[in-house]
Amino acid sequence: MGSILRIEKLEKSFGGVTAVDGIDFEVNPHQIKALIGPNGAGKTTIFNLISGIYPVTSGTIRFKEQIIDGLKPYIIAEKGISRTFQNVQVFEDMSILENVMLGRHCRTRSGFLAAALNLRKTRAEEKRIREYSLEMLSFVGLEAKRDEAASNLVFQQQKLLEIARALATEPELILLDEPVAGLSVPETDEMVQLIYRIREIGITILLVEHDMGMVMQVSEEVVVLNSGQVIAEGTPRQVQNNEAVITAYLGERETENANYTKS
Amino acid sequence: MKKKNLIVLVILAGVTMAIPLGLGNSYYLNVLVFVGIHSLITIGLSLLMGYAGQISLGQAAFFGLGAYTSGILSTKFGVSPWLALLAAIFVTGGIAFLIGAPALKLKGHYLAMATLAFGYIVYIIFNQASSFTGGPSGFGQIPRFRLGNFLFKTDVHYYYLVWILVIVALLISLNITHSRVGRALRSIHAGELTANVMGVNTAKYKIQIFVLSAVYASVAGSLYAHFITFLNPSPFGFHFSIVLVTMVVVGGVASVWGAMIGAALLTILPEYLRAFQDYDILIYGSILLLIMVFLPKGLFVGIFDLVKKRKNRQ
Amino acid sequence: MSLGSQLLQYLFTGITLGTIYGMVALGFNIIYSSTGIINLAQGEFVMLGGMMMIYLTTIIKLPMVVGFFLSILIVALMGALFERGAIHPLKNPSVITLIIITIAASILFKGGAMFAWGKETFALPAFSGEEPVRVLGATILPQTLWILGIMAATVVFLIFFFGFTLTGKAMRACAANRTAASLVGINVKTMVLLSFALSAAIGATAGIIIAPIALMDYNRGTMLAVKGFSVAVLGGLGSNVGAVVAGFIIGIMESLGAGFISSGYKDAIALVVLLLVLFIKPGGLLGSKEKGEFKKF
Amino acid sequence: MLTIRNLKSYYGRMQALKGVSLHVEEGEVVSLIGANGAGKTTLLNSIVGLVSSRTGQILFSDTDIIQRNPRQIIRMGVSLVPEGRQLFAPLTVIENLILGAYQRYRKDKKSEIKSDLEKVFVLFPILKERKSQIAGTLSGGEQQMLAIGRSLMAKPKLILMDEPSMGLAPLITTQIFQIISELHKQGTTILLVEQNAEAALRISSRAYVIETGRVVLQGMSQELLHNQEVRRAYLGREYKEVWE
Amino acid sequence: SVWNWVPTLKKPLVTYKVGALLSVTGPAAWLGTPERNTVRMIEEEINEAGGINGHPLEVIVEDTVGDATKTVTAAKKLISKDEVLAIVGPSRSGTTMAVIPIVEEAEIPLISCAAAEAIVVPVKRWVFKTPQKDSDAAIRIYEYMKEQGISKIAIITGTTGFGDQGRGQLKKFASEFDITIVVDETYGPEDTDMTAQLTKIKASEAEALVNWSIVAGQVIVAKNMRQLAMEIPLFQSHGFGNVKYAQTAGEAGEGIIFPCGRLLAVDTLAEDHPQKEVLTRYKEEYEAKYNEDVSTFGGHAWDALYLVIEALEEVGPDRGKIRDYIENKKGFVGTGGVFNFSPEDHNGLDKYAFEMLAVKDGKFVVAE
Ligand SMILES: Nc1ncnc2c1ncn2[C@@H]1O[C@H](COP(=O)(O)OP(=O)(O)OP(=O)(O)O)[C@@H](O)[C@H]1O
Ligand SMILES: Nc1ncnc2c1ncn2[C@@H]1O[C@H](COP(=O)(O)OP(=O)(O)OP(=O)(O)O)[C@@H](O)[C@H]1O
Ligand SMILES: [Mg+2]
Ligand SMILES: [Mg+2]
């Protein structure tokens, strides 16, 4: 079976800055893969390219062997890629349940006319949307808060909400941008468990994270970027001991410094 | 639609239908006809502004396009007013689509300007294309609506016609806001890019709601034309676009009920202020200012909040 | 009149119009830059400046120079008063609420002016004679040269102020993020007050210098606001050079449009150009789209 | 330097702090730890006045600042690295930094501010590279560096840091903690909120543990580091093996 | 009631209510304000003199803001809430056209103060107007031009109802007077610079320019002409009927020629001129009361309201009878001229109601 996501010679520049500078890597189905690298290495930019937020400067992105670069974000979502954001992006004025129901949008149909007339089939569909969304909310453990405004959630819960919303789109590939940044150790642990459960329901995961403890634990493969280029790729152990990765990213692992990561 | 809304809607329908029974005076009914016509526009505008978060400073142009298309077709080409109203919907909707497609790519003040410019261009055309529109002098003798042998002639007739349409529009709008589509619109308001990434075709929805709001305005315009039976460009200028936006905001931008309250207030208020002669402009401005300063979310939400606070204190 | 001098005349007309619009647009930019608000009462500041000057110099008969500065001062105070009365008390207002408030204020200013000065149109003598200057068969009024000069000075001042002074940067910071601004010790409320006073002052200046050409009455504000807003947007909100360039473009489009195509459609022609520019360049001519993405509205 | 007594803070009618008392001595590094939503951010924001509905006593250098607004408090020499960074997104990197020193322009020499700017660039070279870039387009980590850099530009006596290492690469995280100890050596007083509790405890002399708006535990950092409760709730062990 | 207990005071008879739809504010406030002042002045005077056959007069003024929608509502208020006997106004042509269907249906006499000929041509049963017809204004201008030997002209008109109607009349009658319109330009009511249009005119072979518009435009055109050093004579419409405009235009206004009722040249009228007395009285009273110059617009309201008052005096409070009375009124001496109404003519003035005036030293004099 081929890769679910294949990135080839991907390039992106903003005016003078080349944020992504010729990158190749693939993600295999049912894998948990991590993208790491120093700040400004281009990780988020790659996510933005995959999800269609930015047009690529050159190179291709294939999802299930189909070229998806150049497509609109919503079409990419329909095709089965969903994501979370580094700076949490929940719809603040909407309730938590509505946030998740919005994720269901691309899997449902009824349009303006049906909505205006409130047809029976529309109501039935709305009911299905609600049920599915509630399921996703309980999957991440937020079902108790479903009617609260999203802005009332604490940071960790907002992250969970983003994941529930992403799951509601029924993705095959989910992109998680720093899922545990700002979380305490026990919360990180919970998140890791959630990530495993997401994989168990058959979803492939590509994540970006700076918490090395977490990355080393969950990911099966790691791609390391620096200045928009891949400088290493392999199992966590391999990259962890790679000289280039240590100088560019991890730093000398004196005992003292090692403790500064969240473990 | 939520039950609460349905109940309010039924009560509203009951009350509006009963009003003329107790109120025969043609002046009051006439004012209420305008409340209805303005409500039609503001309900559409509140869907666009309050739900989808897109501003339009050119809504008077759609109102005018509806009025002129309807008026010209029925007066100069003998088309029945009903057909003319229908044709106006298509014409106005089509123009809204053509202008909306590029304009809705713009954001915030830029969108405001683009719609304002569009509205102004339409206004200039009303003034200049005198062979069709009668130019600045306008034209009259627009036929009235007719159902079989029944001619809509008096204020009462128009009152019922307009308010039945308002209630239909409300029903449609409430259905939309409580649907998948309404949710998508609100997500656009809250974060367009995020909505897009989550699978919402934001461009499509923005255009659809823009066209819908234009259609509401167009229907209102047709009603206006066949009610007043005379058209000249002045009611369809920039000034009225601003008044419409003001109605929506004063009522409370995020609710179709608010839009109606705003339309009612800003249509009826000037009537009361007539008594103050020249001072009316100062009083009007002050009331507007006070509402916005003390109830920045508009009357609908603002009054609710006040009531809630009162309740909590007790 | 030869075609050449006709063309030159259209150009002069366009420049006259353009400087008027540009001056109004500059006022929009100031408040926008420091608060993100589009102040639709900006046109009223222009009107008030013109009317106040006419009142002070032709009715109270103060000397021109005194009247000039006194009018600007009084209108700036009105701007400050407006901010204190209507903008200051608000907590976290939405942009649209603020826009409506500026509309309400413009109604009040207009009403006030109507009561103070009546409904007639007034004229103001030109600063230095009404004898037109002849250039190659075309004519330009000395007053236009005044407007050009004062506008140039204003633009230079604004560019310097917002680009290079700390206060200017602090004002822009307020528009960008009020919380952050107070976190670095900026007095946000004072900055907002200052920006209203400043834009009122610039609006008033515009009103004074255009009054000899365009005349002035209480009802003039709205139209000036609309033109100024168009020009500010075409130039790219917040860009002062953009405002000047866009002013000339709109002015010249109108005058050429009136001269060669149709005087009835001249405004429409200018607006169509505006729309086309926006559709191609959504941030206006000199506005930064990128920066725009981070603006609240 | 900072003494807080019975601080209660509210968001509307919701009470987020329920009587917090703590103190920070001059030149000390004190850390605050606690779960998500415990009220750490609320506490820091209350100190600088961003959360304005608050009662109790906040003494900074023996002056009660509970009635003051953020600007007045900042001017007394307090600086905050806020949660969520709070940058001036449409402004450039360098403009953000210069504005960080906003309240110093009256008293300090320009050259001094300039040299502090250079110091920030030495700490975060990437910011120098990107100095004319619009802050909003920086990567997440770069933005965090800018937020820290901007607060350093104020040359505060007391610096409040809300999760400064959030979103930063391990190498930079290390650096941030080095900077904190550097500032400490130079005599700056620091109140630190960190999810990276272990690192925070290692660098601070004392710490407070906050839960649902109350201080539930306080003591020397070393002791807390070995406290079973704290270890279980905030430090965890699970991944250590994997990483070491 | 209290009157029964106060035998020395006479119980007043029922009040006669007359409506007035005037654009007191808004873009045509310059029309509506003198009109409002005038009707208020007359109301006071009549009541001080004991009312109309003892009935007090109440004039209910509604501000139309010059807007069609508002005018319609205001008209309905006057008709069905206030139940007025007749309506004076509206001030503007457009708003008058908008209320015509309403008054026709409600069967209430309306005496418009607006210029457009379309108001009374074709005749509408319940609608009259007091300002001179704009066709007559155009004719008088052309007659004058012919005397001066002018045959090629340019016209420039404002895009308002008034300007638009004027443009139509100018074009309609040109050929009758062997006049060719070589340039036909327009401008918006809020425009502040017409040099572009005037440049075009300057480059043409026009021997005179007619500007047909309202307020500011009339002054700006004059000023712009001076800026462009244009030598051809400038004609304005009867919209120029306020001496303030001439003063505002300053030097640029000198030599402007326009058709106008005799109100503004009352000083130059012969003592035995039939209008002399009415004009002098109105002018003196108005100027004393309001401390500002009279304008012909206030005069239109004067004529309209006095027509109604006279009808009330003669036929009492009956809408139909008032209409009939006005329709058959002959020899009514007003400020606009001597009115002779008939079922075919609901304006009642001929072209001689106009005098050609010229601006000289900031004043209006009869043009020679
Ligand atoms: N719109 C833009 N204009 C200019 N430069 C940009 C833009 N967007 C991103 N960049 C730059 O591109 C580089 C890559 O950014 P990106 O957000 O992908 O980094 P990242 O790897 O996610 O970093 P972090 O770990 O800090 O989040 C950064 O240096 C950033 O400043
Ligand atoms: N602006 C706000 N409006 C209403 N409630 C708020 C607001 N900000 C925070 N809260 C609530 O106050 C409580 C304390 O939040 P605070 O942000 O101080 O926690 P924290 O300890 O900083 O958490 P984190 O680790 O997520 O940063 C939470 O219950 C939160 O929901
Ligand atoms: Mg990133
Ligand atoms: Mg926090």
Side-chain angles (χ1 to χ4, degrees), chain A residues 17 37-40 86-87 154-156 159 178 181-190 192 210-214 216-217 237 240 246-253 256-263, chain D residues 34-37 83 85 126 130 133 139-143 145 163 166-175 177-178 195-199 202-203 232-244:
Chain A
V17 184
N39 297 118
Q86 184 171 2
N87 305 318
V154 301
F155 186 67
Q156 177 215 11
K159 292 202 142 182
E178 306 202 8
L183 299 190
S184 71
V185 177
E187 289 159 354
T188 302
D189 198 21
E190 283 166 33
V192 168
H210 289 299
D211 183 335
M212 277 311 107
M214 184 271 190
M216 296 303 154
Q217 184 186 1
R237 289 252 165 235
Q240 196 176 340
I246 292 174
T247 30
Y249 183 55
L250 299 173
E252 295 302 324
R253 272 207 299 133
E256 197 193 355
N257 290 348
N259 290 323
Y260 291 151
T261 64
K262 204 195 295 174
S263 51
Chain D
N36 252 296
E83 184 175 72
R85 300 172 194 137
I126 187 119
R130 312 244 171 240
Q133 189 170 325
S139 86
E142 290 162 347
Q143 292 190 5
M145 295 179 214
E163 306 196 23
M166 172 147 158
L168 293 182
L171 192 59
I172 309 289
T173 307
T174 314
Q175 253 181 39
F177 285 101
Q178 275 163 3
Q195 292 297 353
N196 192 342
E198 174 132 11
R202 279 185 195 278
I203 206 166
R232 196 173 42 72
Y234 303 107
L235 303 179
R237 289 154 277 112
E238 290 86 348
Y239 325 123
K240 221 163 192 159
E241 308 83 66
V242 190
W243 175 225
E244 277 180 351

Side-chain angles (χ1 to χ4, degrees), chain A residues 141-184:
Chain A
L142 280 181
E143 72 277 21
K145 303 224 165 210
R146 61 190 208 187
D147 291 327
E148 277 181 47
S151 52
N152 282 348
L153 293 181
V154 301
F155 186 67
Q156 177 215 11
Q157 294 165 332
Q158 293 194 353
K159 292 202 142 182
L160 292 174
L161 175 58
E162 270 204 327
I163 291 178
R165 186 180 63 191
L167 289 176
T169 68
E170 271 180 77
E172 288 177 55
L173 171 67
I174 188 167
L175 314 174
L176 304 174
D177 201 347
E178 306 202 8
V180 302
L183 299 190
S184 71

Side-chain angles (χ1 to χ4, degrees), chain E residues 249-267:
Chain E
E251 263 179 67
E254 288 298 304
I256 289 175
I257 306 161
F258 68 107
C260 184
R262 294 186 174 78
L263 178 60
L264 300 182
V266 59
D267 306 341

Side-chain angles (χ1 to χ4, degrees), chain C residues 9 13 119 134 139 259 263 266, chain E residues 24 33 185-186 191 195 229:
Chain C
Q9 189 63 55
T13 302
K119 296 161 193 167
R134 281 164 192 271
T139 55
S263 48
K266 70 180 179 12
Chain E
V24 182
T33 307
E185 294 290 324
T186 62
D191 284 3
T195 45

Side-chain angles (χ1 to χ4, degrees), chain E residues 73-149:
Chain E
T73 308
K76 289 195 174 161
K77 170 175 180 285
L78 291 175
I79 296 167
S80 67
K81 180 159 178 266
D82 301 323
E83 298 179 343
V84 297
L85 297 165
I87 295 175
V88 170
S91 315
R92 306 186 77 180
S93 307
T95 47
T96 305
M97 297 308 287
V99 293
I100 286 177
I102 295 163
V103 297
E104 286 289 301
E105 204 161 285
E107 311 201 322
I108 181 168
L110 177 96
I111 301 98
S112 170
C113 300
E117 191 141 358
I119 295 169
V120 289
V121 179
V123 170
K124 287 135 203 112
R125 186 169 164 79
W126 294 88
V127 181
F128 302 86
K129 75 172 209 124
T130 54
Q132 303 87 344
K133 287 192 281 266
D134 36 21
S135 58
D136 286 341
I139 290 169
R140 287 302 300 248
I141 291 174
Y142 283 157
E143 283 176 354
Y144 186 89
M145 283 178 169
K146 214 163 175 202
E147 273 168 37
Q148 307 281 320

Side-chain angles (χ1 to χ4, degrees), chain A residues 57-78:
Chain A
T57 306
S58 68
T60 51
I61 303 170
R62 284 198 171 80
F63 178 62
K64 297 194 289 182
E65 301 309 326
Q66 230 184 341
I67 293 182
I68 57 164
D69 54 68
L71 298 181
K72 295 262 164 51
Y74 75 91
I75 294 180
I76 292 174
E78 277 172 16

Side-chain angles (χ1 to χ4, degrees), chain A residues 51 53 73-74 77-78 82-83 85 89 91-94 98 101-103 105-106 108-112 115-118 125-126 129 165-166 169, chain B residues 1 171-173 175-176 178-188 190-202 204-205 208-209 212:
Chain A
S51 50
I53 292 177
Y74 75 91
E78 277 172 16
S82 195
R83 67 172 290 181
F85 295 86
Q89 306 280 334
F91 301 118
E92 298 217 332
D93 291 337
M94 289 161 64
E98 283 173 320
M101 286 168 83
L102 193 270
H105 189 89
C106 61
T108 43
R109 291 273 70 86
S110 48
F112 255 94
L117 303 176
N118 199 19
E125 185 182 74
E126 186 73 4
I129 295 177
R165 186 180 63 191
T169 68
Chain B
M1 193 183 358
L171 190 70
I172 290 177
S173 308
N175 279 339
I176 288 176
H178 291 95
S179 73
R180 166 179 179 270
V181 176
R183 201 159 43 237
L185 293 174
R186 283 198 289 148
S187 76
I188 294 173
E192 190 174 339
L193 190 63
T194 312
N196 204 331
V197 172
M198 294 331 291
V200 179
N201 185 349
T202 50
K204 181 180 96 182
Y205 281 107
Q208 285 184 339
I209 195 71
L212 183 70

